[in-house]
Amino acid sequence: MESDSTSQEKILDGITVVDLTTFVTGGFATLMLANQGAEVIKVERPELGDDSRHSGPPFVSTEDYEGPGRSAAEQGESPYFWTVNYDKQSVELNLKSEEGLAICKELIEEADVVVENFRPGTAERLGLGYDDLCELNPELVYCSISAFGETGPWSDRPGYDLLVQGMSGIMSVTGEEDGDPVKVGLPQTDLITAMWAAFGIVGALFRRERTGEGERVELGMLEAALPWLTKQAAKAFVGETPGRMGTKDPVLAPYQSYPTSDGYLNVACGNQKLWEGFCTEIGREDLLDDPRFDSNADRVEHMDELEEELSETLRERTTDEWVEALAEEAGLPVGPVYEVGEALENEQVEARGAVGSLDHPAAGEIPSLEHPLNFEGADSGFDDAPPLLGEDTEAILDRLGYSEEQVAELRDSGAIPDA
């Protein structure tokens, strides 16, 4: 929902987060905090910045921009970077220099939260480990994210979403039954981990309110993904081997995509009443008398036969015709399979304000993906566009009390890049 920053405070107003992460796992976690009002200061490598700044194409040209900050990629700004970095500030610091590290510690000394997703051990080698920083700031909430966590035989391995999708079992149950394992078409385990991290951070902040004590939150992407297996884990727990089923569901039927005359229709009959209503509305009352489809368990057992019967009927009309008849008129849980553009631009999304726009300093008006939490007594939402690389470096240094001469010295020493 679009926010009105003059109406109500946001839940995390007054909370400052120092974001030492790159890519999505930490970036989306701090994005969730920014959406709820936290000030997020993103510390980035000089000249390079966050790796996701270089992820593309597509890129949006900023060659005519003159002002603080710049695009890290020669081609311009990455829209992918935008989607994970609304409402943040960008500071370029060389953390391998004594001066750059000192500035980072100054920021952290006054912050509430630090988030890092270095390889295990890297933060400690830089002097930015939890033990180092909680001495500076005993009330600090410190969140460490890694691929496999900081213990166990795999803890030193590097990891990305693709690897974790494979090792978590997700790819083994994604794709067609007779096809190869398939990666979910979005960085699912990155986003899963980010949401766990944000949840842990907010929980630690709540505990701090009660105890006055800081906290360390530590998690790995692999174990962050496992709780999401749910239905598939249930099968494995009783000795079964879950497999790929296309759009079918392992414990519900009909609960999948079916072809129509011009596309696909998702049908989700989650209980017996819905199944009976669905059969009646599509003119297939005969299926209600078929013992193969009597109960949900029977339908799951004869899922292929059920698919054949329903596909024959649903091919007789268009997707829109079925949606109007079944969803709009009969109130049954069916829906179309949208392309991404259709998902982002439709009457429901517009009515809910789920996609907004922000004024980017170099790219003009850009779209923003809002977050879905709406509170009765608090505001939420993004107010500012993602930052250009280093856009806020001088402003943050000024806030910390650095003079123009000191800033020039920092440039000469390599702690911050040339303007």
Side-chain angles (χ1 to χ4, degrees), residues 69-398:
R70 60 196 174 280
S71 294
E74 289 184 10
Q75 304 95 323
E77 288 285 283
S78 165
Y80 176 40
F81 172 83
W82 295 345
T83 64
V84 187
N85 289 286
Y86 306 118
D87 243 355
K88 299 181 185 180
Q89 301 171 61
S90 173
V91 177
E92 289 177 279
L93 292 178
N94 180 1
L95 297 181
K96 295 182 179 180
S97 74
E98 184 177 336
E99 298 88 348
L101 182 62
I103 295 168
C104 186
K105 288 185 174 181
E106 285 186 66
L107 289 172
I108 292 169
E109 190 171 5
E110 302 299 323
D112 300 280
V113 178
V114 168
V115 186
E116 59 92 2
N117 64 348
F118 299 119
R119 291 270 293 276
T122 301
E124 287 74 16
R125 288 194 294 273
L126 288 170
L128 294 172
Y130 177 66
D131 291 340
D132 300 304
L133 299 182
C134 69
E135 290 185 8
L136 284 177
N137 184 349
E139 296 185 358
L140 184 69
V141 172
Y142 184 105
C143 181
S144 296
I145 302 168
S146 59
F148 300 104
E150 296 189 359
T151 57
W154 299 346
S155 61
D156 289 335
R157 291 188 187 183
Y160 287 87
D161 171 72
L162 174 63
L163 305 187
V164 178
Q165 285 203 33
M167 298 171 77
S168 65
I170 290 174
M171 286 176 63
S172 76
V173 296
T174 305
E176 294 300 326
E177 183 176 359
D178 57 351
D180 295 328
V182 174
K183 180 179 76 71
V184 177
L186 46 83
Q188 186 176 43
T189 65
D190 282 332
L191 299 172
I192 288 171
T193 306
M195 296 184 81
W196 281 121
F199 176 68
I201 290 166
V202 172
L205 287 171
F206 177 73
R207 178 180 179 273
R208 190 183 73 172
E209 286 296 303
R210 294 188 290 116
T211 67
E213 299 174 352
E215 181 60 272
R216 186 177 186 222
V217 182
E218 186 268 328
L219 71 161
M221 293 172 65
L222 179 60
E223 70 261 24
L226 297 182
W228 290 51
L229 292 175
T230 59
K231 297 174 183 178
Q232 287 78 12
K235 283 183 170 288
F237 287 156
V238 296
E240 297 183 20
T241 302
R244 293 180 290 282
M245 302 179 68
T247 65
K248 297 184 180 74
D249 187 86
V251 298
L252 292 171
Y255 200 95
Q256 66 179 90
S257 295
Y258 294 94
T260 65
S261 66
D262 67 345
Y264 294 91
L265 184 75
N266 280 335
V267 176
C269 291
N271 59 48
Q272 190 68 12
K273 182 179 179 181
L274 291 171
W275 161 246
E276 293 170 0
F278 177 72
C279 289
T280 300
E281 293 297 329
I282 66 171
R284 291 301 305 270
E285 293 91 339
D286 60 299
L287 298 178
L288 299 176
D289 298 323
D290 192 320
R292 297 175 300 171
F293 312 134
D294 187 43
S295 68
N296 179 72
D298 294 321
R299 294 191 292 276
V300 170
E301 191 71 24
H302 298 92
M303 200 176 292
D304 292 341
E305 296 98 310
L306 179 63
E307 180 179 33
E308 186 176 344
E309 293 283 356
L310 293 181
S311 295
E312 180 182 348
T313 298
L314 294 173
R315 280 194 181 98
E316 295 173 359
R317 301 172 70 176
T318 68
T319 299
D320 286 346
E321 288 172 336
W322 283 123
V323 169
E324 181 177 359
L326 300 176
E328 301 290 345
E329 297 176 7
L332 292 168
V334 306
V337 177
Y338 280 153
E339 300 288 342
V340 173
E342 294 174 304
L344 294 173
E345 295 183 17
N346 59 67
E347 59 186 0
Q348 181 64 24
V349 165
E350 182 178 352
R352 295 288 291 173
V355 178
S357 63
L358 295 167
D359 187 21
H360 189 279
E365 187 174 302
I366 66 170
S368 62
L369 292 170
E370 272 298 345
H371 288 189
L373 297 177
N374 305 302
F375 299 97
E376 187 69 24
D379 197 5
S380 63
F382 297 116
D383 296 314
D384 295 312
L388 289 162
L389 178 60
E391 181 179 342
D392 305 285
T393 301
E394 291 197 16
I396 293 293
L397 290 173
D398 180 68

